[in-house]
Amino acid sequence: MELPQLPELMGLSLLLGLLALMATAAVARGWLRAEEETSSRSAGQKANGLPLDKSLRSKKQKQHQRVRKEKPQQHNFTHRLLAAALKSHSGNISCMDFSSNGKYLATCADDRTVRIWSTKDFLQREHRSMRANVELDHATLVRFSPDCRAFIVWLANGDTLRVFKMTKREDGGYTFTATPEDFPKKHKASVINIGIADTGKFIMTASSDTTILIWNLKGHVLSTINTNQMNNTHAAISPCSRFVASCGFTPDVKVWEVCFGKKGDFQEVVRAFELKGHSAAVHFFAFSNDSRRMASVSKDGTWKLWDTDVEYKKQQDPYLLRTGCFEEASTMPCRLALSPDAQVLALASGSSIHLYNTRRGEKEECFEQVHGECITDLSFDITGRLLASCGDRAVRLFHNTPGHRAVVEEMQGLLKRASNESTRQRLQQQLTQAQEALRSLGALKK
């Protein structure tokens, strides 16, 4: 066997060695480059005191937080009769309620807070409010207790009532404490309204099916009302606390009396009367402050004002006082607010508000695109001088010029018939005050 020659063997070995060396060098360069990149990142991370994975997560979290902090642009609205805009909520406001003593306005929003505003600040530059947090949920409805020392809310996710008690601190502020237990869950459909009787004897909750529940203050159901209206669109307690009313798919408003004994014990709920006259479903209704008047708005495109100061136990029906036209109601749901003296009717459709004089049935003011969303609540304050609305993250307050004009008309009529000098002086004073209010707002008709 002939062996290979030595020079050829050495050349083959050198070639293989050179190839191995080149491969090793390439791997080494890649490893060194990776080490340098890792070292530079580590140095930057050490300067920040964070390991690699936590640093990357921290950057992503900060970027995400910056995105979350970018709030949607607040809807801008201006009008000569706009008195104030309350803007502390960071979420859309769904409900509001004036306290019975007129000192506070409660608002709830999907930012998991309830805010209590001081009404004496409404016409000032700064609007103070106190915040109550709704833990692990948010409120869709809010109502003050009659003594103004507590309020109740309806929980969006919990589907139940929660009670908050207000306690005054030494510095003049308030603390808000939720009671240990919420009310038991009883409704099967979504709740559309809640209320507390001004007598403090009962609480009402109404759902979108046909159910209204009457509760005592401890969370026990006293009575269940079946409205037989296919569905409920609104329900409320009258200011006098005698009645509970509802409207819905049927073309009428049904009213029940909640009866208590002389010792304050609950007895029964009985049918009282109905508001009949609309030809289509009723969207909404409201009571005047003395419960002697009611107003309703229907899908038939009309609103109506009723005299409900009747002896219903003697089969006396409410009287229809006025019918007005509101075409918007025929195409979309509407909300309604009646001034405390029943002289002015406010109707909200979409994001616009229309004010009517109920004595003549004429529209006097219109505010368009008041909010960036559909109006969710509408209410006069207890004096009737201001109208409040909400629908986005702000509450907007308007001067009630139709109310001042109604006072002027009424006082001028009464002065012509007054025979007593002291009566004339009192009427003249009220007339002058109303005229001065209109003059200051640039709304006095010559």
Side-chain angles (χ1 to χ4, degrees):
M1 179 176 179
E2 187 177 354
L3 294 173
Q5 296 182 4
L6 184 60
E8 292 177 356
L9 188 61
M10 290 179 64
L12 182 62
S13 299
L14 286 171
L15 181 60
L16 290 173
L18 183 60
L19 290 171
L21 185 62
M22 291 173 64
T24 303
V27 171
R29 280 197 302 271
W31 180 81
L32 286 171
R33 190 180 296 111
E35 279 291 306
E36 287 173 359
E37 290 175 359
T38 303
S39 298
S40 64
R41 280 202 299 263
S42 298
Q45 293 152 21
K46 286 178 180 178
N48 293 323
L50 292 170
L52 173 62
D53 58 342
K54 288 187 178 179
S55 176
L56 291 173
R57 284 201 303 268
S58 177
K59 287 181 180 178
K60 289 180 180 179
Q61 287 173 355
K62 287 180 179 178
Q63 291 174 354
H64 182 60
Q65 287 173 356
R66 281 197 292 270
V67 172
R68 290 183 63 185
K69 286 181 180 178
E70 292 177 3
K71 296 180 180 179
Q73 188 175 0
Q74 182 74 281
H75 177 73
N76 292 321
F77 174 82
T78 58
H79 194 278
R80 61 184 178 82
L81 296 181
L82 181 65
L86 314 180
K87 297 182 178 181
S88 291
H89 277 291
S90 61
N92 285 347
I93 303 168
S94 57
C95 184
M96 58 190 176
D97 188 44
F98 284 99
S99 62
S100 59
N101 60 10
K103 294 182 178 180
Y104 308 108
L105 172 69
T107 57
C108 65
D110 57 16
D111 59 7
R112 294 186 174 182
T113 68
V114 174
R115 288 193 174 270
I116 310 297
W117 307 81
S118 174
T119 57
K120 69 179 182 180
D121 296 335
F122 282 174
L123 301 183
Q124 306 299 321
R125 180 169 295 181
E126 298 294 329
H127 305 119
R128 295 178 297 171
S129 68
M130 299 167 287
R131 185 180 70 186
N133 295 320
V134 182
E135 298 295 335
L136 305 176
D137 212 326
H138 72 272
T140 58
L141 298 162
V142 60
R143 294 288 179 261
F144 271 110
S145 64
D147 62 5
C148 307
R149 296 178 182 176
F151 60 85
I152 61 172
V153 299
W154 185 262
L155 301 178
N157 300 320
D159 289 327
T160 188
L161 278 175
R162 179 173 293 173
V163 180
F164 284 83
K165 293 184 178 179
M166 301 166 58
T167 306
K168 197 167 187 177
R169 300 194 305 259
E170 292 182 359
D171 62 0
Y174 283 84
T175 57
F176 306 96
T177 307
T179 52
E181 293 184 4
D182 298 332
F183 276 36
K185 296 181 181 180
K186 295 291 184 180
H187 284 283
K188 296 180 181 179
S190 58
V191 166
I192 57 173
N193 202 18
I194 61 176
I196 308 178
D198 280 355
T199 56
K201 291 182 179 180
F202 68 93
I203 291 172
M204 178 219 70
T205 58
S207 54
S208 60
D209 48 16
T210 61
T211 305
I212 297 176
L213 297 181
I214 305 299
W215 310 71
N216 66 14
L217 301 187
K218 295 182 179 179
H220 298 121
V221 175
L222 301 174
S223 181
T224 300
I225 302 172
N226 183 358
T227 64
N228 293 313
Q229 291 174 312
M230 297 291 287
N231 69 286
N232 298 330
T233 56
H234 183 57
I237 302 174
S238 64
C240 67
S241 299
R242 284 182 61 192
F243 305 112
V244 167
S246 77
C247 65
F249 183 77
T250 58
D252 49 20
V253 178
K254 297 182 179 181
V255 184
W256 292 263
E257 183 177 6
V258 184
C259 303
F260 287 83
K262 293 182 178 179
K263 296 182 180 180
D265 54 313
F266 172 75
Q267 293 184 332
E268 61 180 343
V269 176
V270 296
R271 280 288 285 274
F273 54 87
E274 295 180 6
L275 306 182
K276 295 181 178 181
H278 286 293
S279 59
V282 178
H283 292 305
F284 215 84
F285 67 86
F287 289 93
S288 64
N289 194 49
D290 58 7
S291 302
R292 298 173 63 184
R293 298 286 186 272
M294 288 181 70
S296 58
V297 61
S298 167
K299 195 174 180 179
D300 63 12
T302 67
W303 59 264
K304 294 181 182 294
L305 181 71
W306 311 82
D307 179 354
T308 53
D309 187 20
V310 296
E311 297 185 55
Y312 72 89
K313 291 182 180 178
K314 296 181 179 179
Q315 309 302 314
Q316 191 175 7
D317 293 324
Y319 299 101
L320 178 61
L321 299 174
R322 178 75 58 188
T323 297
C325 182
F326 188 62
E327 289 294 337
E328 289 86 341
S330 62
T331 57
M332 66 176 70
C334 300
R335 300 188 70 88
L336 177 154
L338 188 61
S339 64
D341 59 5
Q343 299 273 26
V344 180
L345 180 68
L347 290 165
S349 61
S351 60
S352 299
I353 301 172
H354 310 261
L355 298 183
Y356 288 81
N357 178 304
T358 58
R359 303 181 91 186
R360 300 188 309 274
E362 298 174 359
K363 183 193 293 188
E364 292 202 7
E365 299 288 352
C366 180
F367 312 121
E368 295 184 347
Q369 297 181 343
V370 176
H371 296 278
E373 306 285 341
C374 288
I375 292 171
T376 54
D377 207 355
L378 191 68
S379 178
F380 287 93
D381 74 334
I382 65 170
T383 68
R385 296 174 182 173
L386 294 173
L387 172 68
S389 69
C390 61
D392 43 29
R393 290 180 289 138
V395 173
R396 290 190 165 81
L397 299 153
F398 296 90
H399 292 288
N400 180 17
T401 52
H404 293 304
R405 293 192 194 105
V407 171
V408 170
E409 291 175 17
E410 184 179 16
M411 294 305 107
Q412 288 174 338
L414 292 173
L415 272 170
K416 293 178 181 178
R417 299 191 298 270
S419 56
N420 187 296
E421 184 59 30
S422 61
T423 301
R424 290 182 59 84
Q425 290 179 356
R426 177 176 55 82
L427 295 174
Q428 184 61 50
Q429 183 180 8
Q430 291 178 280
L431 174 61
T432 302
Q433 289 176 347
Q435 289 173 331
E436 286 298 325
L438 289 170
R439 186 176 290 108
S440 67
L441 296 171
L444 183 63
K445 294 182 179 179
K446 296 180 180 180

